[in-house]
């Protein structure tokens, strides 16, 4: 496994310190209107984004703070340490939108801003819509992500994916299958993964095999490998 550069580790530690503080500093009046504020911290052996490693197959530290109001409004920020990306060693994903349910189907529509502090002309944005539904015991998640042509992305990008989660043991162990397809900034790229996820209380551990068909363009960062993760939710 590749050893992460010092800058990447330092940025990861900053994430761990900054985001939980951000959650606790929320306006009390806003918190009363928001029935849930969730903070997550994670360590992954390889940060894979749509099948391709953003940490050069090395470990990454990640965190997320999300606020969801009773009427469906969602606001959050997700962060990860990354390998050097045009001068940046951190990714910040700011997002907002809404989440609601129609019958047994959950609908989520979010606008994302992908920010890379210190990076040279690499910030982008997209709009993502997802449907989550139960079919028997399995959960199906369908995602559509659209990034229109913009200053730092000369081509419109479309990403489609389907993720199926099947419980193997009640409230504990689950099998997760994923397939994605992307066109635009990538030419007909496909990614897939299969893995196990174990949950106990606020802790979650997972081990997955992640792969794509983009090795010819992205080299070893797009090649298949096992990816482990540990996450805690507050």
């Amino acid at each position: 496994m590749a050893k992460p550069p010092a800058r990447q580790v330092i940025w990861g530690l900053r994430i761990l310190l900054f985001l939980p503080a951000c959650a606790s500093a929320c306006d009390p009046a806003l918190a009363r209107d928001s029935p849930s504020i969730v903070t997550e911290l994670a360590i992954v052996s390889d940060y894979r984004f749509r099948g391709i490693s953003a940490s050069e197959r090395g470990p990454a530290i990640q965190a997320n703070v999300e606020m969801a109001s009773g009427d469906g409004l969602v606001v959050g920020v997700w962060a990860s340490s990354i390998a050097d990306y045009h001068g940046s060693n951190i990714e910040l994903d700011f997002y907002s939108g809404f989440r609601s349910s129609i019958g047994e189907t959950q609908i989520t529509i979010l606008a994302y801003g992908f920010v890379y502090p210190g990076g040279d002309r690499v910030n982008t944005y997209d709009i993502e819509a997802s449907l989550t539904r139960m079919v028997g015991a399995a959960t199906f998640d369908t995602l559509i992500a659209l990034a229109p042509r913009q200053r730092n992305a000369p081509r419109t990008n479309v990403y489609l994916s389907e993720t199926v989660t099947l419980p193997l043991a009640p409230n504990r162990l689950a099998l997760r299958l994923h397939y994605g397809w992307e066109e635009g900034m990538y030419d007909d790229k496909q990614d897939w993964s299969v893995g196990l996820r174990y949950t106990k209380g606020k802790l979650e551990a997972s081990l997955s095999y992640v792969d794509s068909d983009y090795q010819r363009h992205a080299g070893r960062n797009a090649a298949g490998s096992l990816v482990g993760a540990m996450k805690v939710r507050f």
Side-chain angles (χ1 to χ4, degrees):
M1 179 180 295
K3 183 178 180 180
R7 284 184 64 193
Q8 189 171 340
V9 173
I10 292 172
W11 272 111
L13 293 176
R14 289 177 179 175
I15 291 170
L16 288 178
L17 293 173
F18 173 74
L19 288 184
C22 177
S24 63
C26 289
D27 186 335
L30 184 59
R32 282 195 297 271
D33 294 335
S34 304
S36 63
I37 299 177
V38 176
T39 302
E40 296 178 332
L41 301 176
I43 299 177
V44 297
S45 64
D46 183 3
Y47 167 29
R48 291 281 181 136
F49 181 68
R50 299 175 183 174
I52 297 180
S53 177
S55 56
E56 292 188 351
R57 297 172 69 98
I61 299 172
Q62 302 175 339
N64 185 64
V65 176
E66 180 178 292
M67 222 165 19
S69 69
D71 58 4
L73 177 65
V74 177
V75 179
V77 56
W78 181 91
S80 179
S81 56
I82 58 175
D84 182 76
Y85 182 54
H86 296 274
S88 178
N89 283 99
I90 184 173
E91 175 184 336
L92 295 174
D93 299 350
F94 297 93
Y95 61 92
S96 65
F98 78 92
R99 183 179 297 128
S100 185
S101 296
I102 299 178
E104 297 183 355
T105 300
Q106 184 182 82
I107 301 173
T108 304
I109 299 178
L110 299 173
Y112 276 84
F114 302 98
V115 179
Y116 302 87
D120 183 21
R121 303 175 71 176
V122 288
N123 299 338
T124 58
Y125 65 89
D126 76 3
I127 299 173
E128 303 186 4
S130 64
L131 298 176
T132 303
R133 61 210 179 279
M134 295 288 295
V135 179
T139 301
F140 286 75
D141 292 292
T142 303
L143 172 70
I144 302 173
L146 173 65
R149 183 178 177 181
Q150 50 200 279
R151 177 182 178 183
N152 296 331
R155 298 174 61 186
T156 296
N157 193 75
V158 177
Y159 182 74
L160 307 174
S161 72
E162 185 71 37
T163 303
V164 181
T165 304
L166 182 65
L168 301 179
N171 303 319
R172 286 288 189 270
L173 188 65
L175 173 68
R176 184 177 181 275
L177 307 171
H178 168 87
Y179 172 79
W181 172 84
E182 192 164 14
E183 178 67 40
M185 295 302 294
Y186 296 94
D187 296 321
D188 193 29
K189 177 181 73 67
Q190 300 178 75
D191 68 271
W192 54 90
S193 67
V194 56
L196 293 173
R197 183 184 65 195
Y198 180 80
T199 306
K200 185 174 183 180
K202 297 180 179 181
L203 298 176
E204 178 182 300
S206 63
L207 182 64
S208 304
Y209 176 79
V210 184
D211 203 353
S212 79
D213 66 350
Y214 221 64
Q215 292 92 328
R216 183 167 59 90
H217 301 278
R220 65 190 297 270
N221 286 332
S225 69
L226 287 175
V227 176
M230 290 288 295
K231 181 191 296 185
V232 60
R233 173 177 291 193
F234 301 94

